[in-house]
Amino acid sequence: MSTVPKFEDPDKQSVKYSTCYMCACRCGIKVTVEDKKIRYIEGNRDHPVNKGVLCAKGNAGIMKQNSPAKLTTPLLRKKGSKRGDGEYEAISMGQALDILTARLRNIRETDPKKLAYFTGRDQMQALTGLWASQFGTINWASHGGFCSVNMAAAGLYTTGFSFWEFGDPDWDLTKYFMMWGVADDHASNPIKIGLEKLKSRGAKFVSINPTRTGYQAIADEWIGITPGTDMQFALSMVHVLLKHEQFDWEFLIRYTNSAYLTVNTPGQKGDGLFLRDDDGNPLVWDMEQEKAVNGKLPDINPALFYEGEANGKPVRSAMVIFADTYLDDKYSPENSAEITGIPADTIERLALEMAHVAFKETIEIEQEWTDYAGRKHDKFIGRPVSMHAMRGVSAHSNGFQACRAIHFVQILLGSVDCPGGHLAKPPFPKPIPPPLKPCKTTKPNTPLTSPPLGFPTCPEDLVIDDDGKPLRIDKAFSWDAPLSNHGLMHMVITNAYNGDPYPIDTLMMFMANMSWNSTMNTSQVRKMLSARDEETGEHKIPFIVVSDAYHSEITNFADLIIPDTTYLERYDTISMLDRPISEPHMAGDAIRQPILETNRDVMSWQEVQIEVGSRLGFPVFTNKDGSRKYKGYEDFVTNWQAAPGIGLLAGWRLDEDGNETHLRGKPNPKQWERYKENGAFMQVPFTPERRYYRHANKDYLEWAKGNGWIGSSDQIVMELYSETLQKFNLAGQGLYDGPMPTEQHHKDRLTKYFTPLPEFYTPLEQTRIDEEEYPFHAINQRPMFMYHSWDSQNAWLRQIISQNFMYINREQAESMGIEDKSWVWVESHNGKIRVQVKHMEGCVKNTVWTWNAIAKQSGAWGLKKGSNEAKDAFLMNHLISELLPKKGDALDNVTNSDPITGQAAWYDLRVKIYPVENGETGAYPQFPDMKKMPGMEESPDILRYNAHEHPVRIHRSMDDVLKRGSVHDKKK
């Protein structure tokens, strides 16, 4: 055995466990500290999410902690200085909290909705949403409307769960995996682990994506698709499955609403709605009784295909409408090939390949289980076809219906929550949709009566006034975007600037870089943030508060900056009430704990909310006499209960006898300690009989109800046909008994896009521009090694990339005379940028793409002025508009978003490309250098980090590595 110098001294080191925050994956980490500095970060091998695997981002958390961009003190914009110029004076945290409290108290006492509170990719929306509700403002949301609400909403309105955070492929058993529009940033470690399992077993991996990057590079088959046509492709496969009768009849009848009878009276009120009995139960046609009966009864024999008369009305089963819609020739592979760019024989082959695996390679797991009706089954039947989809599908204005169409393929194959299929992750599946409705009313000094966000099921649920005008500043839950479950973060600044639908007083943002990469129309939005009213001279957005741990582009536009802690300096919860760490066969949540002490005048935003909420007398934070209820965030997490026995942390609670138990129980004063002792996470594995068919599994449904995840143990019926969408469609036609829009463009949107079954439509931007003038689709994606704008400041990750390029199909570029690595102009209807291009084969023609958020404003994020990220990298956001392209009609001021959910349509972008003249180089546009904030370190020329002053430098042979193992293996 080789002898190597001792370069670790365990006696000087301590180890703590926590949860990574270098992306939203929520991996478990094991952090070694030496001399009050991080020695290294490694994956927690016991953690259910990453099982010890840690990516470059996770390891590089060291350099995020050591970033010179960290804010060190609260800051107040200097009087007389221009917003955006970066002129600040340092104040104490006490002063900052006093300023914030006073301003918020005045708003709460007068008109709470004058506070707009929007957060970025945080992981504590259970707390921020609670805070907003207690304040009394309906103007709260997170970044989901900018990111992937289409994906989440489509699943929650169709199957009761969705991709990624709410569901996962059955990596262990699937035999055929299809990935749609997934870049490398989301759930990267679990996906890498899963793909390794697939490849090692010989399962087929098909990738649907306009570019062949990351995961796509190891796919067995890459399908280059034209951006924005995923819905057509999915529905064409539905066409093939129907044509060849390759669908699971029993699954459709037993678990979906496909047999429900719909009223067939076109042009009349009630057309397309379900025929119901006097108790409101949907009816089906029972083939044995030959009459319409309650479709929720278990022991009936429904007709999947029925058209005729029932209870005196002409009716059709939903499946008849489904088949009539998708057997139409417009969804044939031949017609779809022209739209998608995918050959017709490929479309048909892929659909039939999946059908073969689902029905000819079925999995059977011998396990007794009981369904919702009490019927006993001796096995779980699995259709081992699974899918995953993400922003490449959802970030289009047709993304909601596209995601629903993908779920339709799963449903037809019966591959939903079954062995080998797409599995729900607790606390999902939920009722369809979840029974939360968005709040409409606000009163001074009064908490909201329901959450600011929710799931409308009819026009009555919209957040509009008696005249049909929006009540929210982002116009969520209005006729512009009725099912905007995550709000419209990208519209807040524009609407506040325009005072439409009303002016606000204060815009409060947490972890939301909304003057840079987390906005559309970046150049103009920056002007809006600093714009003043010509008559009064006051800012159009009177006061802006920003909380961030780092000096980002948005901090320069703040009037008040409250510096946050880093993720290695605070307590945090990854909660079952928010986005937990659950996996398909276990429920779990996790914590973060302070690894290092702070050496700056900073406060975690969690603590700020508890403090300010207590000062303002929120009922949840104060006792009846007005005294403070909680000492701080830790105490709040331990003792607050959303409902009896349910808190932010579900682990190590107390039963009636004082014994520790998981998921539900009384508060436990030792709860934080238990998490620390157990690797900073909790998990409860499912018993075998609860692992599948959870939408209809009696044991699971009753258990989930007992845990507070669902309110009823009734079967969750999947919605192939959406009566919710049909109600809005009828409102657009003027055939609804309830609220209906008065403006023609709203009527047109409802009738065209709110179809109860997805029908392909062209992304909205493309219908309002000259596609010949702008022939290229332009998309962007985040790389595996960086996330949002958080990590391109990171000294280690910058060595992987510090400049992005615009990638273009090599053959097409050469035919246009565009040389590799040359500089070009890229122009949209909204603006133009100068970028450097690179050729690649793995990109479909008429599409260009780039990595998102590499570019930085000079001086931001602790980078040296004139860094690569500032002078050569670029943002595509300057090209995108948050409003639809102007044509001089009523749609000019309508959001450039999915008309159903309000999802920002930043992948709908179309551009033209042409070479620069006179040898121009460097990214355009450029912005003034950002000034260093008070208390910040100088940006070094080279940023290195060694935990040891004199590190051991040694070359270790592979033989020694294999024989000795890791130096970390013996550490506890």
PDB file of all heavy atoms in Angstrom, residues 827-849:
ATOM      1  N   GLU A 827     -31.850  39.893 -34.023  1.00  0.00           N
ATOM      2  CA  GLU A 827     -32.868  40.933 -33.886  1.00  0.00           C
ATOM      3  C   GLU A 827     -34.257  40.310 -33.828  1.00  0.00           C
ATOM      4  O   GLU A 827     -34.576  39.386 -34.584  1.00  0.00           O
ATOM      5  CB  GLU A 827     -32.773  41.900 -35.070  1.00  0.00           C
ATOM      6  CG  GLU A 827     -33.659  43.115 -34.954  1.00  0.00           C
ATOM      7  CD  GLU A 827     -33.410  44.127 -36.066  1.00  0.00           C
ATOM      8  OE1 GLU A 827     -32.340  44.074 -36.713  1.00  0.00           O
ATOM      9  OE2 GLU A 827     -34.299  44.966 -36.290  1.00  0.00           O
ATOM     10  N   SER A 828     -35.063  40.828 -32.915  1.00  0.00           N
ATOM     11  CA  SER A 828     -36.463  40.420 -32.799  1.00  0.00           C
ATOM     12  C   SER A 828     -37.345  41.633 -33.060  1.00  0.00           C
ATOM     13  O   SER A 828     -36.855  42.736 -33.322  1.00  0.00           O
ATOM     14  CB  SER A 828     -36.745  39.874 -31.397  1.00  0.00           C
ATOM     15  OG  SER A 828     -36.794  40.938 -30.452  1.00  0.00           O
ATOM     16  N   HIS A 829     -38.637  41.451 -32.941  1.00  0.00           N
ATOM     17  CA  HIS A 829     -39.555  42.582 -33.090  1.00  0.00           C
ATOM     18  C   HIS A 829     -39.355  43.608 -31.974  1.00  0.00           C
ATOM     19  O   HIS A 829     -39.782  44.753 -32.094  1.00  0.00           O
ATOM     20  CB  HIS A 829     -41.011  42.084 -33.059  1.00  0.00           C
ATOM     21  CG  HIS A 829     -41.475  41.688 -31.697  1.00  0.00           C
ATOM     22  ND1 HIS A 829     -42.131  42.547 -30.836  1.00  0.00           N
ATOM     23  CD2 HIS A 829     -41.357  40.521 -31.019  1.00  0.00           C
ATOM     24  CE1 HIS A 829     -42.400  41.930 -29.706  1.00  0.00           C
ATOM     25  NE2 HIS A 829     -41.951  40.689 -29.792  1.00  0.00           N
ATOM     26  N   ASN A 830     -38.669  43.202 -30.885  1.00  0.00           N
ATOM     27  CA  ASN A 830     -38.578  44.047 -29.696  1.00  0.00           C
ATOM     28  C   ASN A 830     -37.204  44.651 -29.457  1.00  0.00           C
ATOM     29  O   ASN A 830     -37.061  45.531 -28.628  1.00  0.00           O
ATOM     30  CB  ASN A 830     -38.978  43.214 -28.462  1.00  0.00           C
ATOM     31  CG  ASN A 830     -39.157  44.057 -27.225  1.00  0.00           C
ATOM     32  OD1 ASN A 830     -39.953  44.993 -27.224  1.00  0.00           O
ATOM     33  ND2 ASN A 830     -38.429  43.748 -26.167  1.00  0.00           N
ATOM     34  N   GLY A 831     -36.184  44.179 -30.135  1.00  0.00           N
ATOM     35  CA  GLY A 831     -34.845  44.708 -29.889  1.00  0.00           C
ATOM     36  C   GLY A 831     -33.799  43.892 -30.609  1.00  0.00           C
ATOM     37  O   GLY A 831     -34.122  42.971 -31.369  1.00  0.00           O
ATOM     38  N   LYS A 832     -32.531  44.239 -30.363  1.00  0.00           N
ATOM     39  CA  LYS A 832     -31.471  43.454 -30.983  1.00  0.00           C
ATOM     40  C   LYS A 832     -30.270  43.371 -30.053  1.00  0.00           C
ATOM     41  O   LYS A 832     -30.053  44.237 -29.197  1.00  0.00           O
ATOM     42  CB  LYS A 832     -31.077  44.021 -32.348  1.00  0.00           C
ATOM     43  CG  LYS A 832     -30.340  45.347 -32.338  1.00  0.00           C
ATOM     44  CD  LYS A 832     -29.965  45.710 -33.786  1.00  0.00           C
ATOM     45  CE  LYS A 832     -29.081  46.955 -33.822  1.00  0.00           C
ATOM     46  NZ  LYS A 832     -28.653  47.259 -35.220  1.00  0.00           N
ATOM     47  N   ILE A 833     -29.512  42.296 -30.242  1.00  0.00           N
ATOM     48  CA  ILE A 833     -28.316  42.061 -29.449  1.00  0.00           C
ATOM     49  C   ILE A 833     -27.179  41.650 -30.387  1.00  0.00           C
ATOM     50  O   ILE A 833     -27.420  41.155 -31.485  1.00  0.00           O
ATOM     51  CB  ILE A 833     -28.534  40.964 -28.389  1.00  0.00           C
ATOM     52  CG1 ILE A 833     -28.990  39.648 -29.030  1.00  0.00           C
ATOM     53  CG2 ILE A 833     -29.530  41.415 -27.333  1.00  0.00           C
ATOM     54  CD1 ILE A 833     -29.174  38.495 -28.057  1.00  0.00           C
ATOM     55  N   ARG A 834     -25.958  41.925 -29.936  1.00  0.00           N
ATOM     56  CA  ARG A 834     -24.786  41.455 -30.679  1.00  0.00           C
ATOM     57  C   ARG A 834     -24.167  40.314 -29.900  1.00  0.00           C
ATOM     58  O   ARG A 834     -23.904  40.430 -28.693  1.00  0.00           O
ATOM     59  CB  ARG A 834     -23.773  42.579 -30.871  1.00  0.00           C
ATOM     60  CG  ARG A 834     -22.598  42.186 -31.765  1.00  0.00           C
ATOM     61  CD  ARG A 834     -21.743  43.382 -32.147  1.00  0.00           C
ATOM     62  NE  ARG A 834     -21.212  44.069 -30.987  1.00  0.00           N
ATOM     63  CZ  ARG A 834     -21.234  45.404 -30.813  1.00  0.00           C
ATOM     64  NH1 ARG A 834     -21.773  46.172 -31.747  1.00  0.00           N
ATOM     65  NH2 ARG A 834     -20.734  45.951 -29.730  1.00  0.00           N
ATOM     66  N   VAL A 835     -23.940  39.192 -30.601  1.00  0.00           N
ATOM     67  CA  VAL A 835     -23.484  37.979 -29.940  1.00  0.00           C
ATOM     68  C   VAL A 835     -22.438  37.291 -30.803  1.00  0.00           C
ATOM     69  O   VAL A 835     -22.313  37.563 -32.002  1.00  0.00           O
ATOM     70  CB  VAL A 835     -24.658  37.011 -29.684  1.00  0.00           C
ATOM     71  CG1 VAL A 835     -25.787  37.690 -28.934  1.00  0.00           C
ATOM     72  CG2 VAL A 835     -25.185  36.431 -30.996  1.00  0.00           C
ATOM     73  N   GLN A 836     -21.737  36.367 -30.182  1.00  0.00           N
ATOM     74  CA  GLN A 836     -20.799  35.530 -30.912  1.00  0.00           C
ATOM     75  C   GLN A 836     -21.446  34.165 -31.133  1.00  0.00           C
ATOM     76  O   GLN A 836     -22.042  33.598 -30.215  1.00  0.00           O
ATOM     77  CB  GLN A 836     -19.494  35.381 -30.123  1.00  0.00           C
ATOM     78  CG  GLN A 836     -18.329  34.857 -30.939  1.00  0.00           C
ATOM     79  CD  GLN A 836     -17.010  34.944 -30.171  1.00  0.00           C
ATOM     80  OE1 GLN A 836     -16.994  35.213 -28.970  1.00  0.00           O
ATOM     81  NE2 GLN A 836     -15.906  34.737 -30.876  1.00  0.00           N
ATOM     82  N   VAL A 837     -21.337  33.648 -32.345  1.00  0.00           N
ATOM     83  CA  VAL A 837     -22.017  32.400 -32.674  1.00  0.00           C
ATOM     84  C   VAL A 837     -21.032  31.239 -32.685  1.00  0.00           C
ATOM     85  O   VAL A 837     -19.827  31.413 -32.870  1.00  0.00           O
ATOM     86  CB  VAL A 837     -22.717  32.466 -34.048  1.00  0.00           C
ATOM     87  CG1 VAL A 837     -23.796  33.520 -34.053  1.00  0.00           C
ATOM     88  CG2 VAL A 837     -21.725  32.700 -35.162  1.00  0.00           C
ATOM     89  N   LYS A 838     -21.591  30.059 -32.468  1.00  0.00           N
ATOM     90  CA  LYS A 838     -20.827  28.824 -32.630  1.00  0.00           C
ATOM     91  C   LYS A 838     -21.677  27.833 -33.413  1.00  0.00           C
ATOM     92  O   LYS A 838     -22.895  27.762 -33.217  1.00  0.00           O
ATOM     93  CB  LYS A 838     -20.430  28.233 -31.275  1.00  0.00           C
ATOM     94  CG  LYS A 838     -19.334  29.005 -30.555  1.00  0.00           C
ATOM     95  CD  LYS A 838     -18.690  28.203 -29.434  1.00  0.00           C
ATOM     96  CE  LYS A 838     -17.732  27.174 -30.008  1.00  0.00           C
ATOM     97  NZ  LYS A 838     -16.941  26.497 -28.943  1.00  0.00           N
ATOM     98  N   HIS A 839     -21.026  27.098 -34.278  1.00  0.00           N
ATOM     99  CA  HIS A 839     -21.712  26.084 -35.063  1.00  0.00           C
ATOM    100  C   HIS A 839     -21.840  24.791 -34.261  1.00  0.00           C
ATOM    101  O   HIS A 839     -20.972  24.463 -33.454  1.00  0.00           O
ATOM    102  CB  HIS A 839     -20.929  25.777 -36.342  1.00  0.00           C
ATOM    103  CG  HIS A 839     -20.800  26.939 -37.273  1.00  0.00           C
ATOM    104  ND1 HIS A 839     -20.050  26.888 -38.427  1.00  0.00           N
ATOM    105  CD2 HIS A 839     -21.331  28.192 -37.230  1.00  0.00           C
ATOM    106  CE1 HIS A 839     -20.120  28.047 -39.048  1.00  0.00           C
ATOM    107  NE2 HIS A 839     -20.878  28.857 -38.343  1.00  0.00           N
ATOM    108  N   MET A 840     -22.906  24.054 -34.515  1.00  0.00           N
ATOM    109  CA  MET A 840     -23.042  22.718 -33.947  1.00  0.00           C
ATOM    110  C   MET A 840     -23.981  21.892 -34.815  1.00  0.00           C
ATOM    111  O   MET A 840     -24.863  22.436 -35.494  1.00  0.00           O
ATOM    112  CB  MET A 840     -23.541  22.767 -32.502  1.00  0.00           C
ATOM    113  CG  MET A 840     -24.957  23.268 -32.312  1.00  0.00           C
ATOM    114  SD  MET A 840     -25.496  23.270 -30.579  1.00  0.00           S
ATOM    115  CE  MET A 840     -25.624  21.499 -30.264  1.00  0.00           C
ATOM    116  N   GLU A 841     -23.781  20.574 -34.807  1.00  0.00           N
ATOM    117  CA  GLU A 841     -24.656  19.699 -35.569  1.00  0.00           C
ATOM    118  C   GLU A 841     -25.956  19.413 -34.820  1.00  0.00           C
ATOM    119  O   GLU A 841     -27.010  19.263 -35.419  1.00  0.00           O
ATOM    120  CB  GLU A 841     -23.942  18.364 -35.869  1.00  0.00           C
ATOM    121  CG  GLU A 841     -23.032  18.403 -37.079  1.00  0.00           C
ATOM    122  CD  GLU A 841     -21.742  19.156 -36.810  1.00  0.00           C
ATOM    123  OE1 GLU A 841     -21.352  19.235 -35.638  1.00  0.00           O
ATOM    124  OE2 GLU A 841     -21.133  19.676 -37.759  1.00  0.00           O
ATOM    125  N   GLY A 842     -25.869  19.327 -33.503  1.00  0.00           N
ATOM    126  CA  GLY A 842     -27.018  18.911 -32.712  1.00  0.00           C
ATOM    127  C   GLY A 842     -27.990  20.026 -32.437  1.00  0.00           C
ATOM    128  O   GLY A 842     -28.332  20.312 -31.284  1.00  0.00           O
ATOM    129  N   CYS A 843     -28.465  20.659 -33.492  1.00  0.00           N
ATOM    130  CA  CYS A 843     -29.449  21.737 -33.351  1.00  0.00           C
ATOM    131  C   CYS A 843     -30.292  21.736 -34.617  1.00  0.00           C
ATOM    132  O   CYS A 843     -29.745  21.717 -35.735  1.00  0.00           O
ATOM    133  CB  CYS A 843     -28.738  23.089 -33.177  1.00  0.00           C
ATOM    134  SG  CYS A 843     -29.838  24.508 -33.017  1.00  0.00           S
ATOM    135  N   VAL A 844     -31.610  21.707 -34.474  1.00  0.00           N
ATOM    136  CA  VAL A 844     -32.462  21.664 -35.658  1.00  0.00           C
ATOM    137  C   VAL A 844     -32.354  22.985 -36.415  1.00  0.00           C
ATOM    138  O   VAL A 844     -32.043  24.030 -35.843  1.00  0.00           O
ATOM    139  CB  VAL A 844     -33.931  21.386 -35.285  1.00  0.00           C
ATOM    140  CG1 VAL A 844     -34.074  20.042 -34.600  1.00  0.00           C
ATOM    141  CG2 VAL A 844     -34.502  22.493 -34.402  1.00  0.00           C
ATOM    142  N   LYS A 845     -32.599  22.919 -37.707  1.00  0.00           N
ATOM    143  CA  LYS A 845     -32.523  24.119 -38.527  1.00  0.00           C
ATOM    144  C   LYS A 845     -33.609  25.116 -38.120  1.00  0.00           C
ATOM    145  O   LYS A 845     -34.634  24.751 -37.564  1.00  0.00           O
ATOM    146  CB  LYS A 845     -32.641  23.754 -40.004  1.00  0.00           C
ATOM    147  CG  LYS A 845     -31.414  23.015 -40.540  1.00  0.00           C
ATOM    148  CD  LYS A 845     -31.510  22.800 -42.038  1.00  0.00           C
ATOM    149  CE  LYS A 845     -30.228  22.133 -42.559  1.00  0.00           C
ATOM    150  NZ  LYS A 845     -30.281  21.927 -44.026  1.00  0.00           N
ATOM    151  N   ASN A 846     -33.331  26.382 -38.420  1.00  0.00           N
ATOM    152  CA  ASN A 846     -34.233  27.479 -38.077  1.00  0.00           C
ATOM    153  C   ASN A 846     -34.430  27.634 -36.581  1.00  0.00           C
ATOM    154  O   ASN A 846     -35.439  28.171 -36.125  1.00  0.00           O
ATOM    155  CB  ASN A 846     -35.588  27.331 -38.773  1.00  0.00           C
ATOM    156  CG  ASN A 846     -35.479  27.513 -40.276  1.00  0.00           C
ATOM    157  OD1 ASN A 846     -34.606  28.238 -40.761  1.00  0.00           O
ATOM    158  ND2 ASN A 846     -36.338  26.857 -41.015  1.00  0.00           N
ATOM    159  N   THR A 847     -33.461  27.158 -35.805  1.00  0.00           N
ATOM    160  CA  THR A 847     -33.491  27.336 -34.347  1.00  0.00           C
ATOM    161  C   THR A 847     -32.097  27.713 -33.872  1.00  0.00           C
ATOM    162  O   THR A 847     -31.108  27.121 -34.314  1.00  0.00           O
ATOM    163  CB  THR A 847     -33.934  26.040 -33.644  1.00  0.00           C
ATOM    164  OG1 THR A 847     -35.276  25.737 -34.023  1.00  0.00           O
ATOM    165  CG2 THR A 847     -33.877  26.197 -32.129  1.00  0.00           C
ATOM    166  N   VAL A 848     -32.028  28.715 -33.018  1.00  0.00           N
ATOM    167  CA  VAL A 848     -30.775  29.057 -32.341  1.00  0.00           C
ATOM    168  C   VAL A 848     -31.030  28.995 -30.848  1.00  0.00           C
ATOM    169  O   VAL A 848     -32.159  29.147 -30.384  1.00  0.00           O
ATOM    170  CB  VAL A 848     -30.251  30.454 -32.744  1.00  0.00           C
ATOM    171  CG1 VAL A 848     -29.826  30.467 -34.202  1.00  0.00           C
ATOM    172  CG2 VAL A 848     -31.301  31.538 -32.484  1.00  0.00           C
ATOM    173  N   TRP A 849     -29.966  28.778 -30.079  1.00  0.00           N
ATOM    174  CA  TRP A 849     -30.139  28.666 -28.636  1.00  0.00           C
ATOM    175  C   TRP A 849     -28.873  29.117 -27.930  1.00  0.00           C
ATOM    176  O   TRP A 849     -27.794  29.211 -28.531  1.00  0.00           O
ATOM    177  CB  TRP A 849     -30.484  27.234 -28.237  1.00  0.00           C
ATOM    178  CG  TRP A 849     -29.345  26.269 -28.344  1.00  0.00           C
ATOM    179  CD1 TRP A 849     -28.939  25.596 -29.455  1.00  0.00           C
ATOM    180  CD2 TRP A 849     -28.443  25.894 -27.291  1.00  0.00           C
ATOM    181  NE1 TRP A 849     -27.843  24.820 -29.176  1.00  0.00           N
ATOM    182  CE2 TRP A 849     -27.524  24.979 -27.860  1.00  0.00           C
ATOM    183  CE3 TRP A 849     -28.329  26.229 -25.944  1.00  0.00           C
ATOM    184  CZ2 TRP A 849     -26.497  24.395 -27.101  1.00  0.00           C
ATOM    185  CZ3 TRP A 849     -27.311  25.641 -25.199  1.00  0.00           C
ATOM    186  CH2 TRP A 849     -26.410  24.739 -25.767  1.00  0.00           C
TER     187      TRP A 849
END
